Amino acid sequence: MKKLVFGLLFLGLTSLVYSQNDVQKNIILEPVTIKPLNLSYLKEVQHEDTPELVVNLQNEAARYDITELPIFDREFEAYEVIFKTKKEGGTSGLITATYDSNGKIMSSIERYKNILLPKTVRDAINNKYPGWIIHKDIFLVTYRDDRKAKQVFKVQIRKDGDKKNLKLDYDGNIH
């Protein structure tokens, strides 16, 4: 029995020793071109509570590379590109972005309809107008690379046949 145990132990150790063989292979990687996103644009227009649809469309605009298009010519000062999205339930988004000859976003005008409003905005409406129902909303963003972005939520609320139109910012301040 001792011989059998030692034999199995010996076989087990020799198979472990064999598995530790050092084999090196040369790996050659393809060159990769890394292009920066329009980070200044994203930093300015995105907020921690930005709705998902808005974030997705803004990210698409930031990653868009105008220099890769066949019609691109550095002699032109600017290019205007329109990004659209539409979801079930009437939610939609539109960005009209102006790119310079290097592919940087110089300005954008954005309009989103019937999005999920940030919690701070919903809470501000519910606190000031209890019992009122949000009927429709529009989120507007205006960006210029030399100014602070303007972001406003235009919300229509209704109750008992009455309606009110409100303008709010991300902090829930009603203007």
Side-chain angles (χ1 to χ4, degrees), residues 129 132 136 155-159 162-166:
Y129 300 98
W132 288 72
K136 59 183 175 179
V155 180
Q156 185 181 83
I157 57 175
R158 292 186 178 183
K159 179 180 179 183
D162 293 331
K163 65 180 177 179
K164 292 185 185 263
N165 294 316
L166 309 173

